[in-house]
Amino acid sequence: YTLRQAEGATKRRIIRLLEKDFNYQDFVKILSLVREYGGIDYAKWRAEIFGQKALSHLAGFKNSPYKQSLVDMVDFAVNRDR
């Protein structure tokens, strides 16, 4: 997402950082750019969409411990902090 939003020198910078064996400082730079371009918010939004889709597919099944486990996994994946 961030690469699609970024342009020119910023996009090339991200690609250069990703293509090399990057270190923690490079990771922090990339993460900063992902946040700046809305990549984290976009990922959360997409996770919510997929989570709702998964729950709608599960709605047709009768309640059971197995179904509840799947519902809990969706909730964990969508609402986790990290």
Side-chain angles (χ1 to χ4, degrees), residues 1 4-5 17-18 20 22 24 30 33-34 38 46 48 50 52 55-56 60 62 64 68-70 73 79 82:
Y1 177 82
R4 286 194 311 260
Q5 301 303 313
L17 288 169
L18 290 172
K20 70 177 193 161
F22 59 91
Y24 181 75
I30 293 169
L33 290 167
V34 168
R46 293 291 290 170
E48 289 174 10
F50 284 115
Q52 288 303 315
L55 292 175
S56 71
K62 67 179 183 169
S64 72
Q68 189 58 50
S69 291
L70 293 170
M73 285 193 311
N79 296 310
R82 294 180 186 249

Side-chain angles (χ1 to χ4, degrees), residues 6-23:
E7 296 179 354
T10 302
K11 186 173 191 170
R12 288 189 299 275
R13 179 177 175 210
I14 295 168
I15 291 170
R16 271 196 315 273
L17 288 169
L18 290 172
E19 287 179 338
K20 70 177 193 161
D21 187 23
F22 59 91
N23 59 30

Side-chain angles (χ1 to χ4, degrees), residues 30-64:
I30 293 169
L31 182 58
S32 174
L33 290 167
V34 168
R35 285 185 174 136
E36 179 182 336
Y37 282 90
I40 302 294
D41 292 333
Y42 177 78
K44 287 179 181 179
W45 174 73
R46 293 291 290 170
E48 289 174 10
I49 289 172
F50 284 115
Q52 288 303 315
K53 194 173 192 179
L55 292 175
S56 71
H57 287 292
L58 291 172
F61 292 96
K62 67 179 183 169
N63 288 336
S64 72

